[in-house]
Amino acid sequence: MKPELFKDYEPAKIEEKWFATWEQRGDFHANEQSTKPHYSIVIPPPNVTGVLHMGHALNNTLQDILCRWKRMSGYEVLWMPGTDHAGIATQNVVEKQLATEGKDRHELGREAFVERVWKWREESGGQIINQLKRLGASCDWERERFTMDEGLSEAVREVFVTLYEDGLIYRDNRLINWCPRCHTALSDLEVEHDDKQGSLWHLRYPVKDSDRYLVVATTRPETMLGDSAVAVHPEDERYSELIGKTVLLPLVNREIPIVADEYVDKEFGSGAVKITPAHDFNDFEIGKRHDLEFINILDESGFINENGGSYVGLERNAARAKIVADFTELGLLEKIDAYTNAVGECYRCKTIVEPYMSKQWYVAVKSLAAEAIKAVDTGETKIIPQQWEKTYYEWMNNIQDWCVSRQIWWGHRIPAWFCDDCGEITVSRDNVAACHKCNSSNVRQETDVLDPWFSSALWPFSTMGWPEKTQALEKFYPTSCLVTGFDILFFWVARMMMMGLKFRGEVPFKEVYIHALVRDENGHKMSKSKGNVIDPLVIVDQYGADAFRYTLCAFAAMGRDIKLSTERIGGYRNFVNKLWNASRFALMNLKDFEPAQVELTDLPLSPADQWILHRFTYAMEEVNQSLTKYKFNDAASILYSFTWHEFCDWYIELSKDNLYGDDAEARKVTQTVLYQVLEGLLRLLHPILPFVTEEIWHALPGDRGVDSIMQASYPTNAITVTDTAVVEDMERVMEVIRAIRNVRGELEVPPGKKIKVVLDCKSADVEQAMNVGKQYIHTLARVEELEVGVSVEHPAQASTQVAGDVEVLIPLADLINVAEEEARLGKEIDKVQKDVTFFTKKLSNEKFVANAPPQVLEKDRAKLGAAEEKLEILEQSLKKILTMK
RNA sequence: AGGCACGUAGCUCAGUGGGAGAGCACUUCCCUGACACGGAAGGGGUCGGCGGUUCAAUCCCGCCCGUGCCUACCA
């Protein structure tokens, strides 16, 4: 029973139905025992706390297009879905929940809290998965993974222990980025720098045993409590005699040395710098060089600790205000300048981070990075577009050791046990009950968890069952492609490369396609806090998933920014509707048609049939090529213009005479071509428009042997061979039709009015072509009387247009306005005159004639000839017209 | 500060070493039996500025102006 297509395309009616069918039937399931070549993609796992935004929509639409295309192209496709546990973000969500109950996580205790997080995840986590399904994402949903799953956690532990055993994981006490709100260390990448309007305070530090002051400039006056030196440049003669002396640190009355260090810029401020080794990355280095004291003045929440003397207990901003006030009172504040500098913020909560001394776990990444660099160098992994390789190298070459420990509760707990007796650390795959050194049972596990990116780095193989040796790994690793935005090139792509190479000995993916980011009108990322988001699900409701997908596909090529306009989405909604209605037209005319296994070559194909088949072949080749090169926008635009401007605007119109006519055989042939082209077109469009193509495909007559269009093959061969000469003649006929329409339009001949047309052909061949296409001209140009010949007699008074080798004459008797014809000709002559001038000039340039390749010359000469001829005809015509006035 | 992009029709953006493209918007005409979410015909751009390479530059190179992003230890 074939479904009928209702009159207007209404996406909501079919999208839900088809997705449910596909999923229930297991159409997306990847079979690891398949003998087909594999194509695999792992999804960039969205945060389990996340809701679908434009970035996800774009990212996953592109992946889905690739997967559906490859699936139809004969590959066994695995698109591996899942979510990321997103340590801080998830912990924050549950902490907020607790807060509404008037509790905090410390009351619950770690175990209960983690349990609570799991409960949250069961109940409301991962809603983004269902949102992805609304877009039509053809992931193998049966395989959905979560980074905290048992298997993935085992992978994390295996990797951590191996890296530790290989000496690539170590602990160290150094300055890290600390979020005083999240109470955890952050990696360098997790700190966002944002220019902030601030002040530069100039403070006077009295030099001991002198009446001199040393003026130091700082953006963070509160850190002076932890100063342990003042530094000047060794060659700064202003201060040379002070080097080695001391200053008396105001407010705390600590005597600190004046040291010389090349780091100091003589030109900046006063040329003297306060040194706070425990609270500034540069000062930390200077402190080490000069063996200074490291005085930590803050606690984990950013309050002044007991080292801050009378300022103890003050929050860092309050401490700043008080210290500035106190300096002012003492007459030690020289001045305050307005100053802009980049302040580091926590990427999760936007709190200003503190450089903070603490003991953390690090991965030594240099050797891992070297392999990852090599893999891109040798082309084992290709980054597309290639310009991103530079960025990748840049970062990889300057990579710093990766701080992987986080002081939160939600995440993979580090498998290290401290011995309270001998102080030894035991790192182990299995839980530890006794110290491996002294065998004491007095051991306790590290409380820190790992950076979620640590588990994400394993995603391409951990999701396939590693460290077990699974068939999935065997079949689908390395993955074929990774599709992602450039914003996580460092966070994720680079780290997956390192881990994949280290633990699988093979790159995790053969190609990385980096797409644009969806930004707001100011070029910033869309974010809820800015209120500039467009909700993809609202778009899907309004325009349908297919139209939305088409829009994203067409936008995919745009450099780095995508500005979504709903107008444009509306345009593609219209496109889907156009396809829908063209299909309705076809179905109306295929009611008595049963597709049989006919070879089109056996049928008497009309010129229009050959033409559309030829154009189909072209579009098909272009689309396949575009997708191979990740040129999604090209694929979208080729299919758009083929569907609308060739299939609908021309072929359907050209087919009507046969479909409505009395010639049963001609009708049958046209039906066959109409059916085959539409059916092939639906397959070509399916990766971008999965829903509507499936619906129409099922409404088509006949049985195509598979349950879904997604199991049909993607067109890679011409439907049939076409005769180039016939196609070219058809295009000539179309040009003549356009010429007649042009005159009709410009002279405002009413569309309903039938006219007489004379075609004066340059040669018998052209005449033959016109005679073959006569009927098309009659119908599409609304011509009643058509005279065709070589050197035929011209009507006494006629409007003249030139279409290639055909002079198109329309007797003015039938028309109205001589003045309008004069104007039209004038306009046309101007255009052609420009061409003539252009090519005459070009071809009279001796250097051009001497140097240009012969083909170019030949082409230009032909163009000049044609233009001159056309000009001549039009001018003669104009002369005649003028005599009539 | 360095790096990477971008600046093309009113708007959003494709594109190429050989006479400038799309969608939307705009103008004129049409509710012709798939579609007014439609049809037909039009108008509109010294391809940011200035130089250079070339027979030929919107495209390659240099400089400048403007915009954006990323990285960076100027307190």
Side-chain angles (χ1 to χ4, degrees), chain A residues 140-152:
Chain A
D140 186 350
W141 294 108
E142 294 167 40
R143 295 181 194 259
E144 186 186 333
R145 294 288 188 275
F146 181 49
T147 47
M148 285 292 283
D149 281 351
E150 212 173 306
L152 277 72

Side-chain angles (χ1 to χ4, degrees), chain A residues 351-556:
Chain A
T351 302
I352 293 174
V353 299
E354 283 293 334
Y356 196 67
M357 293 280 292
S358 78
K359 206 159 196 183
Q360 302 286 345
W361 295 85
Y362 292 88
V363 178
V365 286
K366 284 269 192 275
S367 62
L368 300 172
E371 292 300 313
I373 290 167
K374 207 165 78 189
V376 173
D377 232 3
T378 57
E380 236 182 301
T381 292
K382 268 172 46 189
I383 300 181
I384 300 150
Q386 211 186 351
Q387 62 184 73
W388 289 108
E389 286 186 6
K390 260 187 206 166
T391 313
Y392 173 83
Y393 288 135
E394 179 74 13
W395 191 70
M396 281 299 210
N397 284 320
N398 297 305
I399 196 164
Q400 300 295 315
D401 282 355
W402 175 15
C403 175
V404 291
S405 43
R406 298 288 180 273
Q407 288 66 48
I408 56 175
W409 288 352
W410 176 238
H412 300 103
R413 196 156 166 187
I414 291 178
W417 284 259
F418 302 108
C419 177
D420 282 336
D421 289 337
C422 71
E424 181 70 6
I425 296 172
T426 307
V427 169
S428 167
R429 286 171 182 81
D430 305 310
N431 285 347
V432 164
C435 172
H436 75 137
K437 190 177 176 194
C438 71
N439 212 29
S440 157
S441 59
N442 219 352
V443 289
R444 59 201 156 75
Q445 189 178 0
E446 166 66 281
T447 54
D448 290 357
V449 298
L450 288 164
D451 179 356
W453 292 108
F454 191 92
S455 49
S456 296
L458 318 181
W459 187 250
F461 48 92
S462 65
T463 51
M464 293 186 196
W466 189 91
E468 304 293 317
K469 287 195 177 109
T470 62
Q471 281 188 314
L473 272 173
E474 194 65 34
K475 177 80 185 165
F476 294 109
Y477 190 94
T479 65
S480 315
C481 175
L482 179 83
V483 178
T484 186
F486 59 85
D487 53 332
I488 54 175
L489 185 61
F490 305 144
F491 273 112
W492 195 46
V493 180
R495 287 164 177 173
M496 278 190 287
M497 286 292 286
M498 295 193 281
M499 292 305 190
L501 285 160
K502 169 79 180 166
F503 289 93
R504 294 290 304 161
E506 249 182 313
V507 292
F509 21 75
K510 292 294 187 186
E511 295 187 332
V512 178
Y513 175 68
I514 308 264
H515 62 248
L517 238 49
V518 183
R519 294 180 188 278
D520 74 358
E521 57 209 335
N522 303 314
H524 296 117
K525 285 189 192 181
M526 283 190 185
S527 77
K528 249 187 274 174
S529 55
K530 290 184 194 130
N532 58 354
V533 287
I534 305 175
D535 183 349
L537 297 174
V538 171
I539 297 289
V540 169
D541 287 341
Q542 266 173 350
Y543 298 96
D546 283 329
F548 183 40
R549 290 168 59 108
Y550 213 101
T551 311
L552 293 169
C553 185
F555 266 116

Side-chain angles (χ1 to χ4, degrees), chain A residues 192-201 217-222 268 280 282 320 337-345 352:
Chain A
E192 288 175 351
H193 295 274
D194 199 17
D195 267 356
K196 283 262 157 66
Q197 257 334 314
S199 302
L200 190 60
W201 285 272
T218 179
T219 52
R220 306 195 53 202
E222 67 281 10
F268 190 88
D280 182 282
N282 298 311
R320 172 179 300 181
D337 293 337
Y339 194 71
T340 316
N341 69 333
V343 177
E345 296 174 343
I352 293 174

